[in-house]
Amino acid sequence: MCETTYTIQEFSTLSGWADDDHAAALETFTNTCGDLKDPDWRSLCAAARDQKDARAFFELFFRPVLIEDGQKAMFTGYFEPELDGSRYRSARFRYPVYAYPREARNKPWLTRRQIAESDALAGRGLEIAWVDDSVELFFLQIQGSGRIRLDEGGVVRVGYAGANGHNYRSIGQELVRRGVYQPHQVSAEVIGNWVRRNPNDGRELLYHNPSYVFFRELKNVPAEKGPLGAMNRSLTTMRSIAVDPAFTTLGAPVWIEKEGENPLNRLMIAQDTGSAIKGAQRADVFFGTGYDAGRAAGKLRDPGRLFVLLPIQRAYALLPESAI
Protein backbone atom coordinates (compact mmCIF):
# COMPACT_ATOMS: atom_id res chain seq x y z
CA MET A 1 0.00 0.00 0.00
CA CYS A 2 1.50 3.32 -1.09
CA GLU A 3 2.09 6.11 1.40
CA THR A 4 -0.04 9.22 0.93
CA THR A 5 2.00 12.31 0.07
CA TYR A 6 1.14 16.00 0.24
CA THR A 7 2.66 18.75 -1.88
CA ILE A 8 1.69 22.40 -1.47
CA GLN A 9 1.51 24.37 -4.70
CA GLU A 10 1.33 28.06 -5.56
CA PHE A 11 -1.79 29.32 -7.31
CA SER A 12 0.42 30.56 -10.13
CA THR A 13 1.27 26.94 -11.00
CA LEU A 14 -2.38 25.97 -11.56
CA SER A 15 -3.09 25.83 -15.28
CA GLY A 16 -5.88 28.27 -16.17
CA TRP A 17 -6.45 29.49 -12.62
CA ALA A 18 -6.63 33.17 -13.56
CA ASP A 19 -9.24 32.53 -16.28
CA ASP A 20 -11.84 30.71 -14.18
CA ASP A 21 -15.12 32.12 -12.85
CA HIS A 22 -14.15 32.20 -9.18
CA ALA A 23 -17.41 33.89 -8.20
CA ALA A 24 -19.40 30.88 -9.46
CA ALA A 25 -17.18 28.56 -7.42
CA LEU A 26 -17.56 30.77 -4.33
CA GLU A 27 -21.34 30.69 -4.61
CA THR A 28 -21.25 26.89 -4.81
CA PHE A 29 -18.86 26.78 -1.82
CA THR A 30 -21.27 28.80 0.33
CA ASN A 31 -24.09 26.35 -0.45
CA THR A 32 -22.47 23.74 1.81
CA CYS A 33 -19.66 25.36 3.83
CA GLY A 34 -22.09 26.09 6.66
CA ASP A 35 -22.26 22.35 7.32
CA LEU A 36 -18.50 22.11 8.03
CA LYS A 37 -17.92 21.79 11.77
CA ASP A 38 -14.22 22.54 12.34
CA PRO A 39 -13.50 26.10 13.56
CA ASP A 40 -11.14 27.01 10.68
CA TRP A 41 -13.69 25.97 8.06
CA ARG A 42 -16.50 27.77 9.90
CA SER A 43 -14.49 30.98 10.02
CA LEU A 44 -13.77 30.78 6.30
CA CYS A 45 -17.43 30.11 5.55
CA ALA A 46 -18.45 33.23 7.47
CA ALA A 47 -15.85 35.28 5.58
CA ALA A 48 -16.95 33.84 2.23
CA ARG A 49 -20.46 35.25 2.51
CA ASP A 50 -19.18 38.85 2.52
CA GLN A 51 -16.58 38.56 -0.25
CA LYS A 52 -16.61 40.92 -3.21
CA ASP A 53 -13.45 39.47 -4.83
CA ALA A 54 -13.82 35.68 -5.04
CA ARG A 55 -10.39 35.00 -6.52
CA ALA A 56 -8.68 37.05 -3.81
CA PHE A 57 -10.65 35.15 -1.14
CA PHE A 58 -9.38 31.76 -2.30
CA GLU A 59 -5.80 32.98 -2.77
CA LEU A 60 -5.70 34.70 0.62
CA PHE A 61 -7.11 31.95 2.82
CA PHE A 62 -6.27 28.68 1.04
CA ARG A 63 -3.34 26.76 -0.38
CA PRO A 64 -3.64 24.15 -3.19
CA VAL A 65 -2.47 20.72 -2.00
CA LEU A 66 -1.63 17.86 -4.36
CA ILE A 67 -2.59 14.69 -2.48
CA GLU A 68 -1.24 11.47 -4.02
CA ASP A 69 -1.68 7.85 -2.99
CA GLY A 70 0.17 6.10 -5.82
CA GLN A 71 -2.90 5.73 -8.03
CA LYS A 72 -3.20 7.49 -11.39
CA ALA A 73 -5.58 10.43 -11.61
CA MET A 74 -8.92 9.74 -13.28
CA PHE A 75 -11.89 11.99 -13.98
CA THR A 76 -15.30 10.65 -14.92
CA GLY A 77 -18.73 12.28 -15.12
CA TYR A 78 -22.19 11.69 -13.71
CA PHE A 79 -25.62 13.26 -14.07
CA GLU A 80 -29.22 13.23 -12.86
CA PRO A 81 -31.28 10.95 -15.13
CA GLU A 82 -34.85 11.66 -16.20
CA LEU A 83 -37.10 8.63 -16.63
CA ASP A 84 -40.67 8.13 -17.82
CA GLY A 85 -42.84 6.45 -15.22
CA SER A 86 -46.09 6.20 -13.31
CA ARG A 87 -47.35 5.71 -9.78
CA TYR A 88 -49.23 2.69 -11.11
CA ARG A 89 -48.02 -0.52 -12.70
CA SER A 90 -49.10 -1.22 -16.28
CA ALA A 91 -47.96 -3.12 -19.36
CA ARG A 92 -45.71 -0.17 -20.21
CA PHE A 93 -44.57 0.82 -16.71
CA ARG A 94 -43.52 -2.48 -15.19
CA TYR A 95 -40.09 -1.88 -13.62
CA PRO A 96 -40.32 -0.84 -9.95
CA VAL A 97 -38.27 1.85 -8.22
CA TYR A 98 -38.05 0.48 -4.70
CA ALA A 99 -37.80 2.16 -1.32
CA TYR A 100 -35.30 0.73 1.17
CA PRO A 101 -36.55 -2.51 2.80
CA ARG A 102 -35.64 -2.90 6.47
CA GLU A 103 -34.01 -6.33 6.00
CA ALA A 104 -31.51 -4.90 3.50
CA ARG A 105 -29.77 -3.32 6.49
CA ASN A 106 -28.36 -6.80 7.19
CA LYS A 107 -25.56 -6.72 4.61
CA PRO A 108 -24.83 -8.29 2.28
CA TRP A 109 -28.46 -8.87 1.33
CA LEU A 110 -29.96 -10.33 -1.88
CA THR A 111 -28.11 -9.74 -5.15
CA ARG A 112 -29.57 -7.87 -8.13
CA ARG A 113 -30.51 -11.19 -9.75
CA GLN A 114 -32.14 -12.50 -6.58
CA ILE A 115 -34.19 -9.33 -6.14
CA ALA A 116 -35.40 -9.47 -9.74
CA GLU A 117 -36.18 -13.20 -9.74
CA SER A 118 -37.83 -13.48 -6.31
CA ASP A 119 -40.90 -12.02 -4.63
CA ALA A 120 -38.90 -10.61 -1.72
CA LEU A 121 -40.14 -7.05 -2.33
CA ALA A 122 -43.44 -7.65 -4.08
CA GLY A 123 -46.73 -6.64 -2.48
CA ARG A 124 -45.20 -4.64 0.36
CA GLY A 125 -45.92 -1.12 -0.86
CA LEU A 126 -42.24 -0.36 -1.40
CA GLU A 127 -42.75 0.81 -4.99
CA ILE A 128 -42.17 4.57 -5.21
CA ALA A 129 -43.00 4.47 -8.92
CA TRP A 130 -42.86 2.22 -11.98
CA VAL A 131 -40.73 3.06 -15.04
CA ASP A 132 -40.76 1.83 -18.62
CA ASP A 133 -37.08 1.02 -19.20
CA SER A 134 -34.98 -1.43 -17.19
CA VAL A 135 -31.76 -0.02 -18.63
CA GLU A 136 -32.59 3.52 -17.55
CA LEU A 137 -33.50 2.17 -14.11
CA PHE A 138 -30.11 0.45 -13.93
CA PHE A 139 -28.32 3.73 -14.71
CA LEU A 140 -30.55 5.56 -12.23
CA GLN A 141 -29.16 3.23 -9.58
CA ILE A 142 -25.59 3.95 -10.67
CA GLN A 143 -26.17 7.71 -10.54
CA GLY A 144 -27.97 7.48 -7.20
CA SER A 145 -30.64 10.11 -7.88
CA GLY A 146 -33.00 11.21 -10.63
CA ARG A 147 -36.37 12.51 -11.75
CA ILE A 148 -39.34 10.44 -12.89
CA ARG A 149 -41.83 12.18 -15.20
CA LEU A 150 -45.20 10.70 -14.33
CA ASP A 151 -47.54 9.63 -17.10
CA GLU A 152 -50.45 11.03 -15.09
CA GLY A 153 -48.71 14.38 -14.67
CA GLY A 154 -46.07 15.77 -12.34
CA VAL A 155 -42.54 14.72 -11.43
CA VAL A 156 -41.17 12.49 -8.67
CA ARG A 157 -37.64 13.18 -7.53
CA VAL A 158 -35.77 10.30 -5.90
CA GLY A 159 -32.48 10.11 -4.04
CA TYR A 160 -30.22 7.40 -2.68
CA ALA A 161 -31.59 5.61 0.40
CA GLY A 162 -29.31 2.58 0.69
CA ALA A 163 -27.97 -0.48 -1.09
CA ASN A 164 -27.88 -4.24 -0.71
CA GLY A 165 -24.24 -4.37 0.40
CA HIS A 166 -22.72 -6.05 -2.67
CA ASN A 167 -19.73 -4.47 -4.40
CA TYR A 168 -20.35 -2.61 -7.65
CA ARG A 169 -19.12 -4.39 -10.80
CA SER A 170 -18.80 -2.46 -14.06
CA ILE A 171 -20.86 -3.86 -16.95
CA GLY A 172 -18.85 -1.68 -19.32
CA GLN A 173 -15.65 -3.40 -18.28
CA GLU A 174 -17.43 -6.74 -18.65
CA LEU A 175 -18.30 -5.94 -22.29
CA VAL A 176 -14.64 -5.08 -22.88
CA ARG A 177 -13.55 -8.33 -21.21
CA ARG A 178 -15.87 -10.28 -23.52
CA GLY A 179 -14.37 -8.53 -26.55
CA VAL A 180 -17.63 -6.85 -27.53
CA TYR A 181 -16.07 -3.36 -27.41
CA GLN A 182 -12.71 -1.69 -26.98
CA PRO A 183 -12.29 0.46 -23.84
CA HIS A 184 -12.48 3.74 -25.77
CA GLN A 185 -15.82 2.71 -27.32
CA VAL A 186 -17.68 2.16 -24.06
CA SER A 187 -20.18 4.75 -22.80
CA ALA A 188 -23.55 4.61 -21.05
CA GLU A 189 -25.29 5.18 -24.39
CA VAL A 190 -23.37 2.36 -26.09
CA ILE A 191 -24.07 -0.02 -23.20
CA GLY A 192 -27.78 0.84 -23.18
CA ASN A 193 -28.15 0.29 -26.91
CA TRP A 194 -26.38 -3.08 -26.70
CA VAL A 195 -28.65 -4.27 -23.88
CA ARG A 196 -31.77 -3.25 -25.81
CA ARG A 197 -30.56 -5.01 -28.98
CA ASN A 198 -29.80 -8.16 -27.01
CA PRO A 199 -32.60 -8.45 -24.44
CA ASN A 200 -31.72 -11.89 -23.04
CA ASP A 201 -27.96 -11.40 -22.95
CA GLY A 202 -28.60 -7.82 -21.88
CA ARG A 203 -30.55 -8.91 -18.82
CA GLU A 204 -27.71 -11.25 -17.87
CA LEU A 205 -25.23 -8.41 -18.37
CA LEU A 206 -27.14 -6.22 -15.90
CA TYR A 207 -27.07 -9.10 -13.41
CA HIS A 208 -23.26 -9.03 -13.68
CA ASN A 209 -23.46 -6.10 -11.26
CA PRO A 210 -24.85 -7.58 -8.02
CA SER A 211 -25.16 -4.17 -6.36
CA TYR A 212 -28.71 -2.84 -6.06
CA VAL A 213 -29.69 0.66 -4.94
CA PHE A 214 -32.88 1.69 -3.16
CA PHE A 215 -34.38 5.18 -3.15
CA ARG A 216 -36.34 7.69 -1.12
CA GLU A 217 -38.72 10.27 -2.48
CA LEU A 218 -37.39 13.83 -2.22
CA LYS A 219 -40.33 16.17 -1.73
CA ASN A 220 -38.54 19.34 -0.59
CA VAL A 221 -36.03 19.90 -3.41
CA PRO A 222 -37.16 22.71 -5.76
CA ALA A 223 -37.46 21.69 -9.40
CA GLU A 224 -34.91 24.32 -10.49
CA LYS A 225 -32.29 22.99 -8.06
CA GLY A 226 -29.93 20.10 -8.67
CA PRO A 227 -30.18 16.71 -6.94
CA LEU A 228 -28.99 16.23 -3.37
CA GLY A 229 -25.39 15.14 -2.92
CA ALA A 230 -23.73 13.44 0.03
CA MET A 231 -23.93 16.70 2.02
CA ASN A 232 -27.74 16.68 1.60
CA ARG A 233 -27.57 19.89 -0.43
CA SER A 234 -28.34 20.43 -4.12
CA LEU A 235 -25.47 19.91 -6.54
CA THR A 236 -24.42 22.60 -9.02
CA THR A 237 -23.88 21.70 -12.68
CA MET A 238 -20.16 21.70 -13.59
CA ARG A 239 -19.20 23.07 -10.16
CA SER A 240 -19.92 20.07 -7.91
CA ILE A 241 -17.80 16.93 -7.88
CA ALA A 242 -17.86 13.57 -6.12
CA VAL A 243 -14.65 12.62 -4.32
CA ASP A 244 -13.22 10.07 -1.93
CA PRO A 245 -13.79 11.57 1.55
CA ALA A 246 -10.88 9.51 2.88
CA PHE A 247 -8.63 12.05 1.13
CA THR A 248 -10.78 15.11 0.42
CA THR A 249 -12.93 16.94 2.98
CA LEU A 250 -16.52 17.19 1.81
CA GLY A 251 -17.25 20.86 1.23
CA ALA A 252 -13.67 21.74 0.29
CA PRO A 253 -12.82 23.63 -2.91
CA VAL A 254 -11.00 21.44 -5.44
CA TRP A 255 -9.06 22.61 -8.48
CA ILE A 256 -9.15 20.12 -11.35
CA GLU A 257 -7.00 19.98 -14.46
CA LYS A 258 -8.66 17.42 -16.70
CA GLU A 259 -6.79 16.38 -19.81
CA GLY A 260 -8.20 14.56 -22.83
CA GLU A 261 -10.13 15.67 -25.91
CA ASN A 262 -11.88 18.53 -24.09
CA PRO A 263 -9.54 19.82 -21.36
CA LEU A 264 -11.18 21.34 -18.32
CA ASN A 265 -9.44 23.56 -15.76
CA ARG A 266 -11.93 24.64 -13.11
CA LEU A 267 -12.49 25.30 -9.44
CA MET A 268 -15.14 22.94 -8.12
CA ILE A 269 -16.51 22.00 -4.71
CA ALA A 270 -16.38 18.48 -3.23
CA GLN A 271 -20.05 17.94 -2.38
CA ASP A 272 -20.69 14.29 -3.18
CA THR A 273 -19.28 10.77 -2.96
CA GLY A 274 -19.70 7.56 -4.96
CA SER A 275 -19.05 3.86 -4.47
CA ALA A 276 -16.69 3.83 -7.48
CA ILE A 277 -14.89 7.05 -6.49
CA LYS A 278 -11.89 5.78 -4.55
CA GLY A 279 -8.46 7.39 -4.33
CA ALA A 280 -6.81 10.73 -3.73
CA GLN A 281 -6.75 11.63 -7.45
CA ARG A 282 -10.21 10.33 -8.35
CA ALA A 283 -13.20 12.58 -9.04
CA ASP A 284 -16.62 12.47 -10.70
CA VAL A 285 -17.84 15.69 -12.33
CA PHE A 286 -21.57 16.50 -12.05
CA PHE A 287 -22.88 17.41 -15.52
CA GLY A 288 -26.48 18.30 -14.68
CA THR A 289 -29.87 16.79 -15.49
CA GLY A 290 -31.31 14.97 -18.48
CA TYR A 291 -30.30 13.30 -21.72
CA ASP A 292 -27.66 15.75 -22.96
CA ALA A 293 -25.97 15.83 -19.57
CA GLY A 294 -25.96 12.05 -19.56
CA ARG A 295 -24.35 11.81 -22.99
CA ALA A 296 -21.61 14.24 -22.02
CA ALA A 297 -20.99 12.59 -18.64
CA GLY A 298 -20.86 9.12 -20.17
CA LYS A 299 -18.04 10.08 -22.51
CA LEU A 300 -15.77 11.44 -19.80
CA ARG A 301 -12.88 9.25 -18.74
CA ASP A 302 -9.70 11.31 -18.69
CA PRO A 303 -6.48 11.71 -16.70
CA GLY A 304 -5.24 14.93 -15.15
CA ARG A 305 -4.48 16.42 -11.74
CA LEU A 306 -6.57 17.33 -8.71
CA PHE A 307 -5.63 19.86 -6.01
CA VAL A 308 -7.56 20.26 -2.78
CA LEU A 309 -7.72 23.84 -1.52
CA LEU A 310 -7.18 23.69 2.25
CA PRO A 311 -7.09 26.43 4.89
CA ILE A 312 -3.48 27.62 5.14
CA GLN A 313 -2.66 26.25 8.60
CA ARG A 314 -4.37 22.94 7.81
CA ALA A 315 -2.39 22.62 4.57
CA TYR A 316 1.00 23.18 6.22
CA ALA A 317 0.13 20.85 9.08
CA LEU A 318 0.05 17.98 6.53
CA LEU A 319 3.73 18.42 5.63
CA PRO A 320 6.52 16.54 7.42
CA GLU A 321 8.65 18.77 9.63
CA SER A 322 11.60 18.40 7.26
CA ALA A 323 9.56 20.03 4.47
CA ILE A 324 8.52 23.11 6.44
Side-chain angles (χ1 to χ4, degrees), residues 79-83 136 139-141 143-148 288-291:
F79 72 109
E80 182 185 34
E82 287 187 318
L83 290 77
E136 295 300 325
F139 287 123
L140 173 68
Q141 293 188 348
Q143 302 302 322
S145 63
R147 305 184 195 199
I148 303 170
T289 299
Y291 177 76

Coordinates of all heavy atoms in Angstrom, one line a residue, residues 79-83 136 139-141 143-148 288-291:
F79 N -24.5 12.3 -13.8 CA -25.6 13.3 -14.1 C -26.9 12.8 -13.3 O -26.9 11.7 -12.7 CB -25.9 13.3 -15.6 CG -26.5 12.0 -16.1 CD1 -27.8 12.1 -16.6 CD2 -25.8 10.9 -16.2 CE1 -28.4 10.9 -17.1 CE2 -26.4 9.7 -16.7 CZ -27.7 9.7 -17.2
E80 N -27.9 13.6 -13.4 CA -29.2 13.2 -12.9 C -30.1 12.8 -14.0 O -30.5 13.6 -14.8 CB -29.9 14.4 -12.2 CG -31.2 14.1 -11.5 CD -31.9 15.3 -10.9 OE1 -31.8 16.4 -11.5 OE2 -32.6 15.1 -9.9
P81 N -30.4 11.5 -14.0 CA -31.3 11.0 -15.1 C -32.7 11.4 -15.0 O -33.2 11.8 -13.9 CB -31.2 9.4 -14.9 CG -30.1 9.2 -14.0 CD -30.0 10.4 -13.1
E82 N -33.4 11.4 -16.1 CA -34.9 11.7 -16.2 C -35.5 10.4 -16.8 O -35.1 10.1 -18.0 CB -35.2 12.9 -17.0 CG -34.9 14.2 -16.3 CD -35.4 15.4 -17.0 OE1 -35.2 15.5 -18.3 OE2 -35.9 16.3 -16.4
L83 N -36.4 9.8 -16.2 CA -37.1 8.6 -16.6 C -38.6 8.9 -16.8 O -39.2 9.8 -16.2 CB -36.9 7.5 -15.6 CG -35.5 6.9 -15.5 CD1 -34.6 7.7 -14.7 CD2 -35.6 5.5 -14.9
E136 N -32.6 2.2 -18.2 CA -32.6 3.5 -17.5 C -32.7 3.4 -16.0 O -32.1 4.2 -15.3 CB -33.7 4.4 -18.1 CG -33.6 4.8 -19.6 CD -32.3 5.5 -19.9 OE1 -31.9 6.3 -19.0 OE2 -31.8 5.3 -21.0
F139 N -29.2 2.6 -14.8 CA -28.3 3.7 -14.7 C -28.8 4.7 -13.6 O -28.0 5.4 -13.1 CB -28.2 4.4 -16.1 CG -27.4 3.6 -17.1 CD1 -27.9 3.2 -18.3 CD2 -26.1 3.3 -16.8 CE1 -27.2 2.5 -19.2 CE2 -25.3 2.6 -17.7 CZ -25.8 2.2 -18.9
L140 N -30.1 4.8 -13.3 CA -30.5 5.6 -12.2 C -29.9 5.1 -10.9 O -29.5 5.9 -10.1 CB -32.1 5.5 -12.1 CG -32.7 6.1 -10.9 CD1 -32.6 7.6 -11.0 CD2 -34.2 5.7 -10.8
Q141 N -29.8 3.8 -10.8 CA -29.2 3.2 -9.6 C -27.7 3.6 -9.5 O -27.1 3.8 -8.4 CB -29.4 1.7 -9.5 CG -30.8 1.3 -9.3 CD -31.0 -0.2 -9.1 OE1 -30.0 -1.0 -9.3 NE2 -32.2 -0.6 -8.6
Q143 N -26.3 6.3 -10.8 CA -26.2 7.7 -10.5 C -26.6 8.0 -9.1 O -26.1 9.0 -8.5 CB -27.0 8.5 -11.5 CG -26.6 8.3 -13.0 CD -25.2 8.6 -13.3 OE1 -24.6 9.6 -12.8 NE2 -24.6 7.9 -14.2
G144 N -27.6 7.3 -8.6 CA -28.0 7.5 -7.2 C -29.1 8.5 -7.0 O -29.6 8.6 -5.8
S145 N -29.5 9.2 -8.0 CA -30.6 10.1 -7.9 C -31.2 10.4 -9.3 O -30.5 10.1 -10.3 CB -30.2 11.4 -7.2 OG -29.3 12.1 -8.0
G146 N -32.4 10.9 -9.3 CA -33.0 11.2 -10.6 C -34.4 11.7 -10.5 O -35.0 11.9 -9.4
R147 N -35.0 12.0 -11.7 CA -36.4 12.5 -11.8 C -37.2 11.5 -12.6 O -36.7 11.0 -13.6 CB -36.4 13.9 -12.4 CG -35.5 14.9 -11.8 CD -35.8 16.3 -12.4 NE -34.7 17.2 -12.1 CZ -34.8 18.5 -12.2 NH1 -35.9 19.0 -12.7 NH2 -33.8 19.3 -11.9
I148 N -38.4 11.3 -12.2 CA -39.3 10.4 -12.9 C -40.5 11.3 -13.3 O -41.3 11.8 -12.5 CB -39.8 9.3 -12.0 CG1 -38.6 8.5 -11.5 CG2 -40.7 8.4 -12.8 CD1 -38.9 7.4 -10.5
G288 N -25.1 17.7 -14.6 CA -26.5 18.3 -14.7 C -27.5 17.2 -14.9 O -27.3 16.1 -14.5
T289 N -28.7 17.6 -15.4 CA -29.9 16.8 -15.5 C -30.3 16.5 -16.9 O -30.2 17.4 -17.8 CB -31.1 17.5 -14.8 OG1 -30.7 17.7 -13.4 CG2 -32.3 16.6 -14.9
G290 N -30.7 15.3 -17.2 CA -31.3 15.0 -18.5 C -30.4 14.3 -19.5 O -29.2 14.0 -19.2
Y291 N -30.9 14.1 -20.7 CA -30.3 13.3 -21.7 C -29.0 13.9 -22.2 O -28.0 13.1 -22.2 CB -31.3 13.2 -22.9 CG -30.7 12.4 -24.1 CD1 -30.6 11.1 -24.1 CD2 -30.2 13.1 -25.2 CE1 -30.1 10.4 -25.2 CE2 -29.7 12.4 -26.3 CZ -29.6 11.1 -26.3 OH -29.1 10.4 -27.3

